[in-house]
């Protein structure tokens, strides 16, 4: 498994790609209101990204037709924006976005609460985010990759949640998807040793019910098998000599840390 170690120049480009993506996420989340279509969210996202002089990483990737994956409620990931898909009060909406800046990519996802969301679902979203931060406590040089997913799984499983096993995080850099695959669930193996200069997209995908998922007929949209709600939280991180650097925090998140 060849995991790329980034040079100082590459890291600076990825920092900028991450900073831009954080700003896009914060701005786009404010547009997710009852009555808007997911297609309109995609249009706004593309305009924002291009306004920074960047390219949407997802648009055209493997044939994907949009700039953002917009996944509602029981949709885990890869929801295709549609004009007839209208956001409603009480929905949770996952926005998964990639930004390409001068040939380097950042990748991040947030799950947005729309209006009056049930307390159990609000907790699912909050705990999914928290599981990311629990996991990356182990993203240290000399540790092993699967320690990240082990911690995510242990944290989420205590609430009875299903930790999706059919989808993983990944390396990221000059390609949106690089080695290694990053599971969010407990593995018996240790995985590769983490080294300074690795850049990884860590992305817990957590279901209120079963861990099992299925693909819809569009070939993209992944939904929970039992129709339960699903949340998604992702950041691009950099392995440093100490604690990992999170490259894709929103301005509000940066201010809160």
């Amino acid at each position: 498994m060849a995991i790329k170690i980034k040079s100082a120049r590459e890291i600076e480009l990825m920092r900028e790609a991450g900073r831009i993506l954080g700003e896009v996420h914060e701005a786009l989340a404010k547009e997710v209101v009852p009555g808007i279509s997911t297609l309109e969210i995609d249009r706004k996202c593309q305009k924002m990204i291009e306004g920074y002089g960047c390219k949407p990483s997802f648009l055209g990737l493997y044939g994907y037709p949009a700039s953002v994956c917009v996944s509602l409620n029981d949709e885990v990931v890869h929801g295709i924006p549609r004009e007839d898909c209208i956001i409603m009060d009480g929905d949770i909406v996952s926005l998964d976005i990639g930004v390409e800046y001068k040939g380097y990519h950042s990748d991040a996802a947030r799950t947005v609460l729309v209006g009056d969301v049930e307390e159990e679902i609000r907790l699912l979203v909050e705990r999914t985010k928290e599981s990311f931060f629990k996991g990356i406590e182990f993203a240290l040089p000399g540790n092993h990759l699967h320690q990240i997913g082990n911690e995510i799984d242990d944290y989420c499983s205590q609430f009875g949640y299903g930790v999706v096993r059919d989808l993983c995080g990944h390396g990221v850099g000059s390609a949106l998807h690089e080695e290694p695959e990053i599971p969010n669930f407990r593995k018996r193996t240790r995985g590769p040793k983490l080294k300074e200069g690795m850049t990884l997209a860590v992305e817990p995908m957590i279901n209120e019910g079963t861990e099992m998922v299925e693909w819809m007929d569009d070939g993209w949209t992944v939904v929970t098998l039992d129709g339960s709600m699903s949340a998604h939280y992702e950041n691009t991180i950099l392995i440093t000599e100490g604690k990992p650097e999170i490259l894709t925090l929103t301005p509000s998140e940066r201010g809160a840390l």
Side-chain angles (χ1 to χ4, degrees), residues 151-214:
E151 184 64 19
I152 290 171
D153 195 341
D154 288 352
Y155 176 76
C156 291
S157 294
Q158 68 179 311
F159 304 109
Y161 297 149
V163 180
V164 175
R165 302 177 71 88
D166 287 355
L167 299 151
C168 293
H170 53 89
V172 58
S174 58
L176 183 67
H177 295 130
E178 297 182 349
E179 292 290 346
E181 288 191 346
I182 306 170
N184 299 305
F185 48 89
R186 178 163 283 281
K187 299 273 287 186
R188 293 182 180 179
T189 56
R190 297 192 303 172
K193 185 175 289 189
L194 298 174
K195 298 180 180 179
E196 186 177 353
M198 291 179 175
T199 46
L200 310 172
V202 178
E203 51 177 320
M205 291 159 274
I206 310 300
N207 301 341
E208 185 186 20
T210 180
E211 70 191 33
M212 299 182 68
V213 300
E214 61 181 343

Side-chain angles (χ1 to χ4, degrees), residues 28-48:
L28 193 63
K30 295 174 182 176
E31 303 290 342
V32 182
V33 296
I36 193 172
S37 73
T38 56
L39 184 61
E40 183 61 21
I41 291 171
D42 176 61
R43 290 172 179 150
K44 289 177 180 291
C45 183
Q46 183 171 349
K47 185 176 181 180
M48 288 178 187

Side-chain angles (χ1 to χ4, degrees), residues 49-70:
I49 293 171
E50 292 175 348
Y52 283 94
C54 297
K55 297 178 182 178
S57 299
F58 295 177
L59 185 59
L61 183 70
Y62 314 128
Y64 187 74
S67 299
V68 53
C69 299
V70 188

Side-chain angles (χ1 to χ4, degrees), residues 1-172:
M1 180 186 296
I3 304 175
K4 296 180 180 179
I5 304 297
K6 306 304 188 296
S7 67
R9 173 184 172 275
E10 289 176 310
I11 288 168
E12 284 307 309
L13 292 173
M14 292 194 66
R15 281 196 179 109
E16 184 63 8
R19 182 191 68 80
I20 291 167
L21 180 49
E23 293 188 2
V24 169
H25 257 298
E26 183 145 310
L28 193 63
K30 295 174 182 176
E31 303 290 342
V32 182
V33 296
I36 193 172
S37 73
T38 56
L39 184 61
E40 183 61 21
I41 291 171
D42 176 61
R43 290 172 179 150
K44 289 177 180 291
C45 183
Q46 183 171 349
K47 185 176 181 180
M48 288 178 187
I49 293 171
E50 292 175 348
Y52 283 94
C54 297
K55 297 178 182 178
S57 299
F58 295 177
L59 185 59
L61 183 70
Y62 314 128
Y64 187 74
S67 299
V68 53
C69 299
V70 188
S71 307
L72 276 64
N73 300 326
D74 67 331
E75 296 173 351
V76 182
V77 286
H78 303 160
I80 298 175
R82 307 196 319 265
E83 192 163 12
D84 63 348
C85 183
I86 306 299
I87 303 297
M88 299 177 65
D89 185 82
D91 285 341
I92 58 171
V93 182
S94 169
L95 304 173
D96 191 358
I97 310 169
V99 162
E100 180 184 350
Y101 172 76
K102 296 186 177 180
Y104 284 81
H105 298 267
S106 57
D107 192 1
R110 300 290 186 272
T111 300
V112 179
L113 306 175
V114 184
D116 187 17
V117 175
E118 294 179 5
E119 177 65 8
E120 294 82 359
I121 306 307
R122 185 193 66 78
L123 285 172
L124 170 68
V125 173
E126 180 182 292
R127 289 164 175 168
T128 298
K129 178 177 179 178
E130 181 62 21
S131 75
F132 165 86
F133 287 97
K134 294 286 188 183
I136 68 165
E137 289 178 6
F138 293 86
L140 305 171
N143 280 356
H144 288 82
L145 182 72
H146 293 168
Q147 291 178 260
I148 298 172
N150 290 349
E151 184 64 19
I152 290 171
D153 195 341
D154 288 352
Y155 176 76
C156 291
S157 294
Q158 68 179 311
F159 304 109
Y161 297 149
V163 180
V164 175
R165 302 177 71 88
D166 287 355
L167 299 151
C168 293
H170 53 89
V172 58

